[in-house]
């Protein structure tokens, strides 16, 4: 006899509390192997294929594509091979002739004691290992027989509707509960089901769900509402004249809402569009709000002549093109972002106060020994901040390659949670959007962010004469708790000096 195991959404790590179902990879009735991906979900940080630790036949799926699923909520149920007794039921499960409930006897205890413990698959997701799955027993409500096979959601819903149709509104979706069971948790997972019931005045504590183990589904609430509407209509059926006429003298005055209603045929005013804050955008909203609430930030900025920096970048490019076969000098083109990142790591070595965070619980400023440099990347899914680990140990070529790899992963949605967390300082190149300046919001819990505007030709006094130079605006937003304005100004001035004269970096290389 097959044993039905329920696979729940695992903890995906990094404090994530749920995920959105993007695409189901299996169908009901399909045979799956151990560690086979069954669903593709989108967390607040990345796209993840979730593998199932059980092998068998998929008997049910929970949630449609696009639905939000909290951690710990069931994803699928899988029927796997298990021990069975002579009449086809799992060993130790006997149905009582009186009420159809399940009775566990000594044979059941022996069977559970002797059942071999399955080994974990060893496949590890972030924050989750597919260790041994605990044996589950299907809970049977009084008055129902123990199922000999797993019930699909459609069959369960049909059973719930058949039971609902037996009575009026009171018995539409209610079950008998004792006085001591009022404080039991309501078997509802989906927030949509809770909202639907709340908007229509239904008490979920009194409803009997048709899902696994009494889970209340949306179909249960909708059917209860239809049954309640039918019963209400019967209660209001008139026994005398169906449409009593009201004398003209007694006609009620027109309601204000009707008096000011637009004439028939007039175009209705467009309704506002509500866009849910979820996924990456939801996490960014929470993080930016927290940054503005907790961090007393300040911003300083300066214009810099980036002509020499651009010339140095062009010289590096020409040098690599002239020696493409040289393993030392040949390589990818050095990006301006990589040069700015190298300047940032040198500046943070001189001003380590800005490579820190604040622990208000301990009332301490935590200075980080390594520079994990985040950089803002705009994607179709929203703004993400990938992190370059140990940026202070990388040269311009290594930084260019890592920026390219992380940017491509961000565009395809394959960044891992580890690549999106743990930053200590952020570089924001908003100049790619064609703007000169900004006052960026600090990426909590970091203490500073350097913003870089577009590099454009502008009039500039160079060596005492007016000339057209490549000018860029630099801005630094910093947490005033970690340093004073003098430190922030010194950091920004050093960055500007390196942009104007890249040879300044040679002193510290």
């Amino acid at each position: 006899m097959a044993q039905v195991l329920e696979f729940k959404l695992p903890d995906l790590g990094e404090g994530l509390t749920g995920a959105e179902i993007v695409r189901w990879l299996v169908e009901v009735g399909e045979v799956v192997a151990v560690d086979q991906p069954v669903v593709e979900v989108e967390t607040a940080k990345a796209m993840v294929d979730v593998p199932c630790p059980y092998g068998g036949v998929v008997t049910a799926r929970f949630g449609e594509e696009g639905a939000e699923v909290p951690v710990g909520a069931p994803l699928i149920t899988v029927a796997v091979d298990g021990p069975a007794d002579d009449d086809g039921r799992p060993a130790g499960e006997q149905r009582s002739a009186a009420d159809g409930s399940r009775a566990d006897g000594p044979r059941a205890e022996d069977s559970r004691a002797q059942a071999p413990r399955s080994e974990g698959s060893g496949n590890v997701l972030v924050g989750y290992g597919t260790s041994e799955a605990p044996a589950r027993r299907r809970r049977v409500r009084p008055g129902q027989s123990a199922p000999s096979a797993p019930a699909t959601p459609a069959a369960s819903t049909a059973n719930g509707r058949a039971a609902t149709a037996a009575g009026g509104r009171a018995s539409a979706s209610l079950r008998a509960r004792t006085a001591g069971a009022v404080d039991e948790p309501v078997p509802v997972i989906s927030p949509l089901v809770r909202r639907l019931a709340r908007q229509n005045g239904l008490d979920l504590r009194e409803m009997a769900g048709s899902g696994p183990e009494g889970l209340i589904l949306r179909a249960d609430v909708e059917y209860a509402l239809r049954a309640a509407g039918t019963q209400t209509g019967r209660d209001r059926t008139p026994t005398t004249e169906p449409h009593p006429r009201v004398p003209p003298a007694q006609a009620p005055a027109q309601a204000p809402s009707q008096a000011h209603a637009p004439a028939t045929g007039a175009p209705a005013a467009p309704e506002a569009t509500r866009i849910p804050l979820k996924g990456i955008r939801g996490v960014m909203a929470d993080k930016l709000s927290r940054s503005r609430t907790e961090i007393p930030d300040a911003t300083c900025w300066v214009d810099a002549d980036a002509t020499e920096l651009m010339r140095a970048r062009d010289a590096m490019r020409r040098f690599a093109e002239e020696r493409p076969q040289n393993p030392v000098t040949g390589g990818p083109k050095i990006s301006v972002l990589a040069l700015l990142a190298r300047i940032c790591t040198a500046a943070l070595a001189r001003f380590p106060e800005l490579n820190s965070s604040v622990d208000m619980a301990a009332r301490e400023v935590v200075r980080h020994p390594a520079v994990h440099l985040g950089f803002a990347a705009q994607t179709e899914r929203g703004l993400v901040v990938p992190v370059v680990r140990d940026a202070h140990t990388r040269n311009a070529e290594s930084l260019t390659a890592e920026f390219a790899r992380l940017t491509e992963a961000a565009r395809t949605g394959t960044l891992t949670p580890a690549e999106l967390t743990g930053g200590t300082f952020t570089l924001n190149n908003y100049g790619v959007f064609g703007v000169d300046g900004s006052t960026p919001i600090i990426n909590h819990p970091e203490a500073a962010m350097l913003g870089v505007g577009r590099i454009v030709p502008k009039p500039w006094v160079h060596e005492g004469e007016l000339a057209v130079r490549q000018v860029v605006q630099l801005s630094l937003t910093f947490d005033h708790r970690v340093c004073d304005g003098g430190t922030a100004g010194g950091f920004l001035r050093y960055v500007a000096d390196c942009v104007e004269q890249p040879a300044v970096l040679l002193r510290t290389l």
Side-chain angles (χ1 to χ4, degrees):
M1 178 63 188
Q3 181 185 14
V4 178
L5 299 178
E6 189 178 76
F7 174 49
K8 300 179 180 180
L9 178 66
D11 179 7
L12 301 176
E14 298 293 341
L16 300 175
T17 59
E20 178 182 341
I21 297 176
V22 176
R23 181 167 58 98
W24 282 105
L25 305 178
V26 295
E27 300 289 340
V28 174
E30 184 176 338
V31 178
V32 295
V34 175
D35 288 342
Q36 176 180 337
V38 295
V39 63
E40 181 182 13
V41 301
E42 179 181 7
T43 69
K45 300 182 181 298
M47 303 278 281
V48 179
D49 287 344
V50 181
C52 178
Y54 315 131
V57 179
V58 178
T59 60
R61 298 187 321 193
F62 301 96
E64 299 295 332
E65 294 181 356
E68 292 276 352
V69 181
V71 170
L75 287 176
I76 62 172
T77 55
V78 180
V80 301
D81 292 337
D85 57 13
D86 296 336
D87 61 357
R89 300 187 185 88
E93 294 188 7
Q94 300 176 356
R95 188 162 48 186
S96 171
D99 57 2
S101 61
R102 188 173 61 193
D104 295 344
R107 193 173 67 166
E109 298 295 335
D110 296 340
S111 174
R112 285 192 292 268
Q114 296 175 5
R117 298 175 64 86
S118 60
E119 295 293 334
S121 64
N123 190 14
V124 176
L125 197 62
V126 178
Y128 146 70
T130 57
S131 60
E132 171 198 1
R136 294 180 58 90
R137 295 186 305 175
R138 309 291 291 182
R139 185 172 60 190
V140 181
R141 295 189 296 274
Q144 293 185 357
S145 59
S148 58
T152 62
S156 300
T157 305
N159 293 337
R161 293 182 177 178
T164 302
R169 180 174 183 178
S171 60
S173 58
L174 306 181
R175 69 177 167 188
R177 301 177 59 92
T178 59
V182 176
D183 295 332
E184 292 182 1
V186 180
V188 178
I189 293 177
S190 172
L192 297 177
V193 175
R194 292 183 181 273
R195 184 176 63 181
L196 183 62
R198 182 173 63 252
Q199 291 176 347
N200 292 276
L202 291 180
D203 188 356
L204 292 174
R205 296 180 180 274
E206 298 179 346
M207 294 191 64
S210 61
E213 299 191 4
L215 182 67
I216 298 177
L217 306 178
R218 180 172 182 173
D220 299 329
V221 177
E222 291 176 345
Y223 192 74
L225 292 176
R226 288 196 297 270
T230 301
Q231 182 67 19
T232 303
R234 292 173 181 173
D235 294 341
R236 294 179 180 177
T237 301
T239 57
T240 58
E241 184 180 359
H243 300 286
R245 296 180 176 273
V246 180
Q250 300 178 4
Q254 189 178 22
S257 59
Q258 297 176 351
H260 298 282
T264 304
E271 296 183 357
T273 302
R274 291 181 174 267
I275 303 174
L277 284 174
K278 62 181 182 179
I280 290 179
R281 187 166 298 278
V283 170
M284 290 303 298
D286 294 338
K287 205 166 190 180
L288 296 177
S289 298
R290 184 177 182 183
S291 177
R292 280 299 193 201
T293 303
E294 296 184 8
I295 299 178
D297 58 350
T299 302
C300 54
W301 55 88
V302 65
D303 290 338
D305 181 3
T307 304
E308 296 302 323
L309 180 68
M310 301 304 291
R311 289 177 178 173
R313 196 276 304 264
D314 293 339
M316 294 179 188
R317 177 180 55 82
R318 289 194 302 269
F319 192 76
E321 291 175 350
E322 293 171 359
R323 299 166 177 80
Q325 305 301 327
N326 192 322
V328 177
T329 59
K333 296 180 180 180
I334 303 300
S335 66
V336 176
L337 185 64
L339 294 177
L340 293 170
R342 188 65 189 87
I343 293 174
C344 277
T345 57
L348 290 173
R350 296 171 65 94
F351 300 93
E353 297 92 338
L354 295 171
N355 191 50
S356 60
S357 58
V358 177
D359 184 355
M360 288 303 296
R363 300 192 66 80
E364 295 175 343
V365 175
V366 182
R367 291 189 182 177
H368 305 292
V371 177
H372 300 315
L373 185 66
F375 66 99
Q378 189 70 37
T379 69
E380 294 181 355
R381 300 169 58 239
L383 178 66
V384 294
V385 185
V387 177
V388 177
R389 300 286 172 182
D390 299 314
H392 62 292
T393 64
R394 298 175 180 266
N395 56 26
E397 285 189 352
S398 175
L399 287 169
T400 297
E402 187 67 359
F403 281 140
R405 184 188 72 83
L406 292 174
T407 300
E408 181 62 23
R411 288 173 180 169
T412 58
T414 57
L415 286 171
T416 65
E419 292 171 333
L420 286 164
T421 55
T424 61
F425 187 90
T426 296
L427 176 61
N428 187 358
N429 181 21
Y430 46 75
V432 297
F433 302 117
V435 297
D436 295 325
S438 174
T439 55
I441 301 176
I442 296 175
N443 188 21
H444 185 278
E446 298 171 10
M449 176 184 292
L450 178 68
V452 182
R454 60 176 179 166
I455 302 176
V456 293
K458 286 185 178 181
W460 190 267
V461 177
H462 177 65
E463 296 180 351
E465 296 182 356
L466 186 64
V468 177
R469 306 286 287 182
Q470 300 292 323
V471 180
V472 62
Q473 184 179 98
L474 307 171
S475 62
L476 176 70
T477 300
F478 63 98
D479 187 341
H480 228 311
R481 297 173 298 180
V482 303
C483 68
D484 297 326
T487 301
F491 174 92
L492 188 59
R493 186 66 256 172
Y494 180 81
V495 171
D497 290 344
C498 291
V499 169
E500 295 182 342
Q501 304 179 43
V504 173
L505 281 175
L506 295 176
R507 296 175 58 89
T508 58
L509 291 180

